[in-house]
């Protein structure tokens, strides 16, 4: 079994950027064998959010080792519908509802948002914290945490957590990032980014 595990940061509806990132990843790591965790926020802000969901559904069917986590933007679709009033197709909504809140491995735990310091067990963390918490990991030592949601200039290891959201939609940042991790020693093995020329944020 592979000792590596991969996490992919917030995609925000940029399907072509994700395709490019996965191609780079596959050239350097065996995506058929290595667990790949998508950290949520697949929709909103990008140029092809429904196409992104269709592509993720295709990946879900093709790769049993791919794991999809829920982001706060997907939760908002569940709670409130599409922010622009567009119809959400049943198969898209079904995929979103299949997404997990968190995933654990040997050394790592993965969530979209974070874990406030008052929680010592990930299974006790409320949904809204796992989706929305930021910069609140100082007391959490059950696993090393890997998150999206909080934008950083580059993938960064802060000791007991790793941030992967490099602002794919933001002008001046505009990267989608993946981090390859060693699940035996808790270290970063590789970081891969794909630039987004269609970034439309501030």
């Amino acid at each position: 079994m592979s000792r590596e595990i991969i996490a992919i940061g917030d995609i925000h509806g940029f399907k072509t950027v994700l395709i490019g990132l996965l191609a780079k990843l596959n050239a350097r790591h065996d995506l058929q064998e290595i667990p790949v965790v998508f950290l949520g926020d697949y929709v909103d802000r990008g140029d092809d959010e429904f196409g992104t969901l269709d592509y993720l559904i295709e990946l879900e069917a093709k790769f049993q080792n791919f794991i999809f986590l829920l982001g706060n933007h997907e939760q908002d679709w569940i709670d409130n519908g599409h922010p622009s009033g567009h119809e959400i197709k049943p198969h898209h909504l079904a995929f979103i509802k299949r997404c997990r809140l968190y995933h654990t491995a040997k050394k790592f735990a993965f969530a979209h948002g974070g874990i406030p310091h008052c929680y010592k067990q990930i299974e006790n963390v409320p949904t809204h914290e796992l989706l929305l918490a930021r910069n609140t990991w100082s007391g959490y030592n059950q696993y090393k945490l890997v998150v999206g949601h909080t934008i950083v200039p580059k993938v960064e290891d802060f000791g007991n957590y790793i941030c992967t959201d490099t602002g794919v939609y933001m002008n001046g940042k505009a990267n989608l990032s993946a981090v390859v991790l060693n699940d035996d020693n808790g270290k970063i093995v590789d970081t891969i980014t794909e630039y987004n020329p269609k970034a439309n944020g501030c």
Side-chain angles (χ1 to χ4, degrees):
M1 181 178 291
S2 173
R3 293 179 299 176
E4 292 182 345
I5 188 165
I6 296 171
I8 295 177
D10 303 28
I11 300 163
H12 281 297
F14 290 102
K15 175 184 173 181
T16 56
V17 183
L18 174 60
I19 291 172
L21 180 69
L22 289 176
K24 287 182 178 179
L25 269 171
N26 200 43
R28 289 155 66 167
H29 303 275
D30 187 355
L31 297 187
Q32 293 283 353
E33 298 294 333
I34 301 172
V36 179
V37 183
F38 293 78
L39 293 170
D41 277 7
Y42 311 122
V43 300
D44 294 338
R45 299 193 169 111
D47 63 337
D48 192 8
E49 58 189 358
F50 295 121
T52 297
L53 291 176
D54 285 331
Y55 183 57
L56 294 175
I57 292 167
E58 291 175 15
L59 293 175
E60 180 188 39
K62 183 177 179 181
F63 295 94
Q64 293 188 354
N65 54 310
F66 281 21
I67 299 150
F68 301 90
L69 303 189
L70 190 70
N72 61 293
H73 284 260
E74 288 79 56
Q75 184 64 57
D76 188 56
W77 278 29
I78 292 172
D79 294 339
N80 303 305
H82 193 280
S84 298
H86 297 304
E87 177 188 1
I88 303 173
K89 294 182 179 179
H91 71 287
H92 290 155
L93 192 58
F95 168 77
I96 289 171
K97 289 182 176 181
R98 287 196 299 273
C99 292
R100 307 181 193 181
L101 283 174
Y102 64 85
H103 175 70
T104 59
K106 182 176 179 182
K107 292 288 186 181
F108 297 99
F110 302 84
H112 179 67
I115 298 176
H117 68 274
C118 56
Y119 296 97
K120 304 304 180 187
Q121 303 292 325
I122 193 168
E123 57 268 22
N124 296 330
V125 181
T127 296
H128 71 277
E129 301 285 12
L130 290 169
L131 297 179
L132 293 168
R134 299 181 192 271
N135 303 322
T136 52
W137 303 278
S138 60
Y140 181 72
N141 296 305
Q142 184 185 9
Y143 299 94
K144 189 167 188 174
L145 191 61
V146 183
V147 298
H149 191 56
T150 297
I151 294 175
V152 288
K154 60 184 178 66
V155 171
E156 194 157 356
D157 186 340
F158 292 95
N160 64 335
Y161 68 97
I162 295 170
C163 286
T164 66
D165 182 2
T166 49
V168 66
Y169 66 90
M170 295 187 70
N171 293 332
K173 295 183 175 67
N175 283 313
L176 177 62
S177 294
V179 60
V180 185
L181 305 162
N182 185 307
D183 202 23
D184 282 338
N185 63 23
K187 303 290 187 181
I188 292 177
V189 174
D190 196 7
T191 302
I192 299 171
T193 62
E194 178 75 2
Y195 178 69
N196 179 17
K198 297 181 178 180
N200 54 15
C202 55

